[in-house]
Amino acid sequence: MWFSMMTKAIRDMIYVAIGGVAGSELVKVVSPVVVEEDDLLLGPSSADPKRHRVLRARYWGAQPSAELDEELARSGGVPLCVVLPPTLGGLLSFCRICASLAARGRRVFAMTLRPDAAGSAPQGLDPAEESTIDVSEALRRKPSAIRCSDIETALAATLWKLWCRRSPVALSSFCASGGTLHALLASLGRYHAGHFPRQTGQGLLLSRFDELLLRQLSSEWITAAKMFASGMKARSGLHAWLSHIGDLYVSRRLLEWARHAHGSIVECQEHPEKPSELSRWSFRWRPGGEAILDALPSLRDAPPVAIGGAMAYDPDRGWVCRVGAGGTPFLSRLATASTGAQRV
């Protein structure tokens, strides 16, 4: 097999699969395989590996990717080859791995899986829809394991460190400047900025994602499952976001809204007989709650969102999303002059 021939040239390599599905396919052809089972697009992260593990375990309620984390903690060892899908989550996982291995002087290889169809460039405030990929078919195309140069590894490590900064401004600038060269960077910048509240000349607005999500609500009860299905079908922009975050985050975010400020904006009711988290809760507007779609009175009126090292809707450190002259969203401090030249 071609994988056997490749491993003869590159001996003693550990392969990293992004996601359980990829892991189950990869173990059929190579060994050993460790799996990155964490979705770094959601929740807090840290550039310090020990703190990162604590944050991720607290966010999910269990330690994800424990076997990979153990391997990354080794001071020395064989190279790692990341089997890399064309996704934002895959990009962040790759950058995290590069940061850990670069600090330990270990080599990194990448085996890039091509999408089933060419992806589109992001438009406006929304990231591009995530590319679909059949891992089994992508592996049959015999992708090559390419060693990452020191510069490539350092750039990936830098992106991870920017993602983990308390201030999100540098990451926003990095993605905006590199987005013309790499579509994933353009999408990552939009995804990241789209979780922060927006500031316009008229005042504050909800984040792009929260606005799209909450517009699915009405005065009638609706489950997260139905909201996810309608959001994917409507193709209103929300579908692109849902392709990256999945269905379970819909319920999680709506529960955060319902539990924030005593449910003054969104209310929920529980259906304990339902086994699925997507059907266990239903949601609707509190009377008058939909007014938040037109104006966000203050940062305290929305539940905070941990994303990377930053916190969106943080009343003590207000970061807001603006739109540059070219239509690209970027982040800055609240109440600074709204010019593209200020995004530092």
Side-chain angles (χ1 to χ4, degrees):
M1 293 178 65
W2 68 275
F3 270 109
S4 299
M5 293 166 47
M6 181 179 65
T7 53
K8 287 180 181 178
I10 308 171
R11 300 188 178 200
D12 298 327
M13 177 179 288
I14 297 174
Y15 294 86
V16 181
I18 308 297
V21 173
S24 63
E25 291 294 331
L26 195 59
V27 295
K28 298 176 183 178
V29 289
V30 294
S31 179
V33 174
V34 294
V35 181
E36 166 71 291
E37 298 184 275
D38 198 355
D39 186 353
L40 298 174
L41 289 173
L42 303 175
S45 290
S46 173
D48 177 79
K50 291 183 179 179
R51 175 168 169 73
H52 180 76
R53 290 195 292 272
V54 171
L55 290 174
R56 302 310 289 176
R58 187 181 302 157
Y59 183 75
W60 293 117
Q63 181 66 60
S65 308
E67 190 177 6
L68 173 60
D69 287 336
E70 182 179 340
E71 181 59 42
L72 294 178
R74 298 184 191 278
S75 297
V78 300
L80 264 63
C81 179
V82 183
V83 182
L84 187 60
T87 64
L88 299 186
L91 174 62
L92 284 179
S93 291
F94 175 71
C95 292
R96 179 174 88 96
I97 292 167
C98 285
S100 292
L101 297 191
R104 291 162 176 78
R106 295 176 65 181
R107 291 181 294 163
V108 186
F109 287 73
M111 184 185 296
T112 303
L113 302 181
R114 302 301 176 189
D116 299 335
S120 59
Q123 301 293 327
L125 299 178
D126 303 320
E129 187 173 3
E130 183 168 287
S131 300
T132 59
I133 185 167
D134 183 326
V135 177
S136 179
E137 174 60 29
L139 289 174
R140 281 195 290 270
R141 296 171 191 161
K142 303 180 181 180
S144 299
I146 306 297
R147 181 178 178 179
C148 300
S149 69
D150 291 343
I151 292 177
E152 290 169 331
T153 304
L155 281 173
T158 297
L159 180 57
W160 174 245
K161 293 171 184 176
L162 293 179
W163 176 264
C164 295
R165 277 191 180 182
R166 189 177 182 184
S167 166
V169 175
L171 175 74
S172 180
S173 296
F174 186 93
C175 291
S177 60
T180 56
L181 302 176
H182 201 301
L184 277 183
L185 277 181
S187 273
L188 182 64
R190 284 165 169 78
Y191 175 89
H192 183 248
H195 284 281
F196 289 82
R198 292 165 289 168
Q199 187 172 23
T200 68
Q202 289 71 45
L204 288 175
L205 295 172
L206 291 172
S207 72
R208 174 65 172 169
F209 172 71
D210 275 343
E211 179 196 359
L212 291 172
L213 180 66
L214 295 182
R215 283 195 184 279
Q216 306 300 304
L217 292 175
S218 71
S219 59
E220 304 295 326
W221 292 107
I222 186 172
T223 64
K226 290 184 177 179
M227 288 185 69
F228 180 84
S230 63
M232 291 297 292
K233 183 178 180 181
R235 318 295 289 185
S236 62
L238 180 59
H239 70 285
W241 290 89
L242 297 179
S243 72
H244 293 287
I245 65 175
D247 50 10
L248 291 178
Y249 186 70
V250 172
S251 179
R252 183 173 192 146
R253 185 59 182 158
L254 289 170
L255 282 172
E256 289 172 348
W257 272 102
R259 292 165 178 168
H260 184 70
H262 308 291
S264 59
I265 297 168
V266 175
E267 64 177 329
C268 68
Q269 63 178 0
E270 185 177 9
H271 312 284
E273 73 281 2
K274 300 289 187 180
S276 170
E277 285 295 314
L278 291 172
S279 302
R280 185 176 177 181
W281 304 89
S282 55
F283 306 88
R284 69 180 182 185
W285 288 117
R286 286 277 189 189
E290 62 271 24
I292 204 168
L293 293 172
D294 299 319
L296 177 64
S298 74
L299 296 180
R300 299 183 187 278
D301 289 295
V305 177
I307 178 167
M311 184 72 71
Y313 297 109
D314 183 350
D316 297 321
R317 292 177 64 87
W319 309 109
V320 291
C321 177
R322 305 175 189 277
V323 180
T328 301
F330 67 92
L331 296 174
S332 65
R333 289 298 297 266
L334 177 64
T336 60
S338 59
T339 64
Q342 298 261 334
R343 54 183 190 193
V344 295

